[in-house]
Amino acid sequence: MILELDCGNSFIKWRVIDDAQVVIVAGGVAGSDEELISALRKVSGLALRHCRLVSVRSGEETCALTDQLQAVFGVTCVSASPAMELGGVRNGYSDFQRLGLDRWLAVLGAYHIARKPCLVLDLGTAVTSDLIAGDGEHLGGFICPGMPLMRNQLRTHTRRIRYNDEAAERALLDLAPGRSTVEAVERGCLLMLRGFVQAQIDLASKHFGDEFEVFLTGGDALLVRDVLPCARVLPDLVFVGLAIACPLHRG
């Protein structure tokens, strides 16, 4: 079995796959290293032989986690690293090492699947967009605040904006002009998000014409799914790229 980890600043997304890399045995999201270890202990018949990961954490934090995994499960971890070119894709950043590893892996995964021009939209705490030409040239991309950042900034800097997550979820059931603060904020932020997404579609059309594939990933991907009916929603897109960046022997 292979353990795959996507280590963000706040959460660790994880999954365990079988040796043939066809079946996902278990998976989830952990809020801490300890929570991850606890979740893995509960996986029935767990027999880890390999671990590969991508991390945007500091080197010290990443090493602390990999040391724990080695001590508890006896598994050595291989980490993804920046590359100028990999899997037929050429990194488009002027300094390739500055492109976020999670973005890079999503780009690798999308191009590996499509083998044609791609637009990759990752809708999480921040929203990222990346364009890849048909020959594998990464054209660069954009970063802007996602729903959580926009919402939290308004809550932080505006005294009268106070509401809970349940109210926020209810507010997004409709996009009519808001008749309460929570409706106005949530619907306004969503319209900004959708506006960004539409701008990316327009930009991709200018570069690629009609022949390009759109990939949606990240926790808020479904918020724009209805305006992009032809997009491919792949929550595990980073893991597709991780397998390319860190190939492992099966067994």
Side-chain angles (χ1 to χ4, degrees):
M1 293 179 179
I2 299 173
L3 172 63
E4 296 184 325
L5 303 173
D6 179 2
C7 304
N9 291 308
S10 303
F11 300 100
I12 304 170
K13 186 175 181 181
W14 65 275
R15 72 179 189 179
V16 177
I17 57 178
D18 71 358
D19 292 0
Q21 301 186 30
V22 229
V23 178
I24 299 174
V25 177
V29 177
S32 65
D33 296 359
E34 293 70 25
E35 191 177 320
L36 171 66
I37 299 295
S38 176
L40 289 171
R41 288 184 185 275
K42 296 174 183 176
V43 176
S44 178
L46 184 69
L48 295 179
R49 297 179 63 96
H50 302 286
C51 171
R52 56 188 169 209
L53 64 88
V54 54
S55 177
V56 297
R57 298 176 166 191
S58 69
E60 293 77 10
E61 290 173 315
T62 302
C63 284
L65 173 58
T66 57
D67 287 348
Q68 281 194 69
L69 292 170
Q70 171 72 45
V72 176
F73 300 105
V75 63
T76 300
C77 299
V78 178
S79 297
S81 57
M84 177 71 79
E85 186 170 349
L86 187 64
V89 180
R90 291 179 297 283
N91 194 312
Y93 261 30
S94 53
D95 179 356
F96 73 92
Q97 298 187 71
R98 302 294 296 177
L99 176 63
L101 274 174
D102 47 353
R103 279 178 66 193
W104 173 236
L105 295 186
V107 164
L108 290 179
Y111 187 75
H112 173 77
I113 293 169
R115 292 295 171 182
K116 63 189 289 190
C118 302
L119 170 64
V120 181
L121 297 165
D122 188 342
L123 282 65
T125 303
V127 173
T128 63
S129 168
D130 287 281
L131 292 93
I132 310 99
D135 62 357
E137 185 72 31
H138 173 227
L139 304 183
F142 301 89
I143 304 173
C144 72
M147 287 286 287
L149 281 178
M150 287 191 283
R151 178 187 300 125
N152 290 339
Q153 281 298 301
L154 284 170
R155 284 175 172 175
T156 300
H157 296 288
T158 308
R159 291 181 179 179
R160 292 182 180 274
I161 295 181
R162 294 289 184 272
Y163 55 84
N164 58 33
D165 292 339
E166 184 179 345
E169 189 173 337
R170 286 197 306 270
L172 291 176
L173 295 176
D174 191 350
L175 278 181
R179 290 179 173 271
S180 66
T181 299
V182 60
E183 290 178 354
V185 169
E186 290 298 315
R187 295 172 189 179
C189 289
L190 180 54
L191 288 175
M192 288 189 70
L193 181 64
R194 291 186 173 191
F196 175 83
V197 167
Q198 186 57 58
Q200 299 308 303
I201 296 295
D202 294 344
L203 184 62
S205 295
K206 290 180 181 178
H207 279 281
F208 307 134
D210 296 328
E211 292 299 315
F212 64 94
E213 189 102 30
V214 181
F215 290 86
L216 287 175
T217 190
D220 283 337
L222 295 181
L223 290 179
V224 300
R225 182 67 177 89
D226 59 330
V227 296
L228 295 173
C230 296
R232 302 180 67 164
V233 181
L234 294 178
D236 291 339
L237 185 57
V238 166
F239 286 140
V240 177
L242 181 60
I244 298 169
C246 301
L248 299 170
H249 295 295
R250 297 176 182 176

